């Protein structure tokens, strides 16, 4: 069965060679006339202000963490998916409800993430805030 | 001729090499054509002429551009992180080429796919997530504010849509019962909805498959950083995003990666949802027309390429039609719409398989109807709250225009 993977290995080698060749070739073929202005970082033509590696919003990090959690949860389903259709009825019923319970934990986590506004990039554009505002306006 | 046959047909490794070449060479030749097609079609849609000077209809324009780019100066800015800056374009291009290893573009297993392995879909998911590395490394190594922002945006965007894409493919895997892409094509040759033997059961014709196709298509556009999801390279806010500091062929390699990824993702879409290399969803053998079925098999690569071309045209059409999303819209579309939809779809498919196995075809239909009712219920609720949001925004605009100014944050949040 391992012979099946020879193709993937070859493709990876060919792709890696191609990519390396393309990146190197232009570096070899092009002229080299270095001037101070050319090699300064681009910032709309003015002198760069401060470091480029500034602090960035924590939201990016948050999204990465949530992604890992949800992705790992889905990974456990892949093996079940391949056997579910062709399995016998008893296993199908059992594993179906098992899957439902498992997905319930997934949904629980998802609802929690929504409640703590982990997916709301900007608080002023979230629906919930506006609904609250509308209700308070109506009350007032 | 005999030794050629010996090397490329009988020998296992030589045969694999033949399959790799049959896959890589067409892509390498088609990518310039793709760029030409995008530029011409976009020009036509925007009432311009587009490149028409080099060669017939400007067909040689991308090649001329490529040659020019190879001989341009490759500027390496002083502040960059040398090695990472150098390899980032290669890292971005690599997954685009490696992605198609499990795609079947014809019926002959000696010629295609490159590796007919039982992890086909998983392989595609794994390699497509690698695409984020090139962009992030380029953004980080450039030591430029725009690049860093572009790289960050790209990483958040790619991983957000990865999940929904996985769920869309998962429901199809569940319905097929296999991760092998050749099995998926075979599953789509079956009778439509298990009832009409003359028509093939392409997954896009089934209710759950249609929803999965919709989610998958949107996710693919986001994964390839194409308009309207091209925030990582939004030219009017981030210059060129992660490739601001790149010049010469390194700059072009990012685009090559993007176009190759577009091409291969179109191929994945065609394989998973549009019946693979079959021309039309008609089961010729069931109609007793074996001759047509034979020709369909012979011309399979053409039909597959045709489907890829359709997919790419769709990409370009979207770019000409839709304005770019705002970043919070992008995130809420991925996390709050596509992901729950994908998970719901997945559970519905599981229910459908179970009820069909327990109660026959009636159970399957009942599941579909029930799922449809749930969808209607939720969409009406969501539409209601969205309307409330629009009303609020209108009210706010009126307050602002009347000179009272923007309502204070505590009033909005109260």
């Amino acid at each position: 069965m391992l012979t099946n993977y020879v193709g993937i290995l070859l493709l990876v080698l060919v792709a890696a060679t191609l990519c390396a060749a393309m990146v190197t070739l232009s570096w070899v073929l092009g002229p080299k006339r270095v001037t101070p202005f050319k090699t300064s970082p681009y910032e709309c033509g003015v002198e760069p202000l401060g470091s480029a590696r500034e602090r960035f919003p924590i939201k990016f990090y948050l999204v990465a963490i949530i992604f890992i959690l949800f992705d790992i949860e889905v990974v456990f389903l892949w093996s079940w998916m391949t056997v579910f259709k062709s399995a016998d009825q008893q296993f199908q019923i059992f594993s179906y409800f098992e899957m439902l319970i498992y997905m319930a934990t997934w949904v629980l986590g998802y609802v929690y993430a929504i409640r703590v506004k982990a997916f709301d990039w900007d608080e002023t554009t979230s629906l919930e805030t506006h609904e609250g505002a509308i209700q308070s306006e109506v009350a007032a | 001729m005999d030794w050629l046959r010996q090397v490329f047909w009988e020998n296992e490794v030589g045969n694999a090499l033949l399959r790799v070449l049959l896959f890589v060479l067409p892509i390498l030749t088609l990518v310039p054509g793709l760029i030409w097609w995008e530029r011409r079609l976009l020009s036509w849609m925007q009432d311009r002429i587009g490149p028409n000077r080099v060669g017939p209809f400007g067909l040689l324009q991308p090649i001329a551009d490529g040659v020019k780019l190879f001989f341009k100066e490759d500027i390496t800015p002083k502040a960059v992180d040398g090695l990472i800056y150098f390899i980032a374009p290669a890292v971005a291009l690599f997954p685009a080429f490696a992605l198609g290893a499990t795609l079947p573009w014809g019926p002959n297993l000696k010629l295609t796919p490159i590796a007919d392995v039982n992890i086909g879909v998983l392989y595609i998911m794994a390699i497509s997530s690698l695409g984020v590395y090139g962009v992030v490394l380029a953004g980080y190594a450039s030591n430029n504010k725009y690049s860093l922002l572009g790289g960050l945006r790209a990483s958040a965007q790619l991983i957000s849509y990865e999940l929904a894409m996985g769920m869309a493919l998962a429901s199809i895997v569940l319905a097929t019962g296999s991760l092998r892409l050749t099995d998926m094509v075979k599953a789509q040759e079956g009778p439509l909805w298990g009832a009409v033997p003359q028509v093939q059961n392409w997954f896009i014709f089934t209710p759950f498959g249609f929803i999965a196709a919709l989610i998958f298509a949107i996710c693919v556009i986001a994964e390839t950083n194409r308009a309207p999801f091209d925030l990582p390279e939004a030219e009017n806010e981030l210059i060129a995003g992660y490739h601001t500091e790149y010049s010469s062929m390194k700059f072009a390699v990012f685009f090559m990666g993007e176009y190759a990824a577009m091409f291969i993702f179109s191929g994945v879409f065609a394989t998973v949802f549009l019946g693979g290399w079959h021309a039309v969803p008609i089961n010729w053998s069931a109609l007793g027309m074996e001759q047509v079925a034979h020709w369909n098999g012979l011309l399979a690569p053409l039909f597959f390429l045709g489907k890829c071309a359709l997919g790419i045209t769709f990409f370009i059409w979207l770019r000409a039609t839709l304005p770019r999303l705002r970043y919070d819209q992008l995130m809420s579309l991925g996390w709050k719409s596509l992901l729950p939809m994908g998970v719901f779809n997945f559970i519905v498919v599981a229910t459908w398989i179970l009820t069909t196995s327990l109660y026959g075809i009636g159970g399957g239909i009942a599941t579909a109807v029930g799922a449809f009712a749930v969808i209607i219920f939720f969409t009406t609720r969501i539409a209601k709250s969205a309307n409330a949001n629009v009303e609020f925004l209108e009210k706010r605009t009126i307050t602002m225009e009347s000179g009272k100014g923007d309502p204070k944050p505590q009033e909005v949040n109260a």
Side-chain angles (χ1 to χ4, degrees), chain B residues 198-223:
Chain B
Q198 286 87 3
V199 185
Q200 288 185 346
N201 189 28
W202 289 9
F203 281 129
I204 200 161
F205 298 148
T206 58
F208 63 86
F210 183 75
I211 293 174
L214 209 66
I215 298 170
F216 185 77
I218 296 172
C219 291
V220 159
I221 300 161
E223 291 267 314

Side-chain angles (χ1 to χ4, degrees), chain A residues 1 3-8 10-12 14-16 18-20 22-27 29-34 36 38-44 48-54 56 60 63-64 66-67 70-71 74 77-78 80-82 84-85 89 92-93 96 99-100 103 106 110 114 119-122 125 127 129-134 136-137, chain B residues 13 16-17 20 24 28 70-78 86 90 93-94 97-98 101 114-119 122-123 140-141 143-146 148 152 156 159-160 162-163 167 170 173-175 177 179 239 244-245 248-250 253 256 326-328 331 335-336 339-340 343 346-347 350-351 353-354 357-358 385 388-389 392 395 412-414:
Chain A
M1 280 315 277
T3 49
N4 270 340
Y5 291 86
V6 171
I8 291 185
L10 281 174
L11 179 68
V12 164
V14 169
L18 267 175
C19 298
M22 282 200 196
V23 173
T24 323
L25 260 181
S26 71
W27 188 61
L29 290 177
K32 292 268 175 301
R33 286 183 218 99
V34 182
K38 231 189 251 175
T39 54
S40 72
Y42 178 78
E43 206 163 305
C44 306
L49 281 171
S51 167
R53 284 161 194 159
E54 294 247 23
F56 54 84
F60 287 109
V63 164
I66 299 171
F67 163 75
F70 284 176
D71 206 34
V74 172
L77 284 173
W78 283 96
W80 171 75
M81 285 172 215
T82 51
F84 181 60
K85 198 180 183 185
Q89 276 194 0
Q92 274 185 336
I93 297 168
Y96 174 75
M99 183 276 288
L100 277 192
M103 288 315 278
W106 190 97
Y110 180 76
I114 290 243
F119 305 133
D120 291 345
W121 209 259
D122 179 6
T125 51
L127 279 176
T129 325
H130 286 166
E131 266 173 24
I134 290 160
S136 69
E137 259 174 49
Chain B
V13 179
L17 187 68
V20 170
V24 172
L28 275 181
F70 263 119
F71 289 98
K72 283 285 171 187
E73 181 175 359
D74 194 351
I75 304 164
T76 310
K78 257 195 312 241
F86 195 85
L93 179 61
F94 173 74
F97 276 124
I114 290 172
D116 189 23
V117 289
N118 52 8
I119 53 156
L122 214 54
Y123 176 84
Y140 169 77
N143 208 350
N144 178 314
K145 283 159 196 154
Y146 304 114
L148 186 69
L152 281 173
I159 60 179
S160 298
E162 190 77 36
L163 283 174
M167 288 322 285
V173 169
L174 201 55
L179 289 166
I239 317 297
T244 304
E245 290 290 357
S248 176
M249 197 59 195
K250 283 212 193 76
V253 162
M256 261 195 93
R326 218 170 48 212
Y327 204 76
D328 61 310
M331 280 297 156
W335 286 102
K336 291 184 188 161
L339 184 56
V343 171
F346 177 76
I347 294 174
T351 318
I353 290 172
L354 184 73
S357 139
L358 290 182
S385 72
N389 189 32
F392 168 76
K395 216 177 224 175
V412 177
N413 284 324

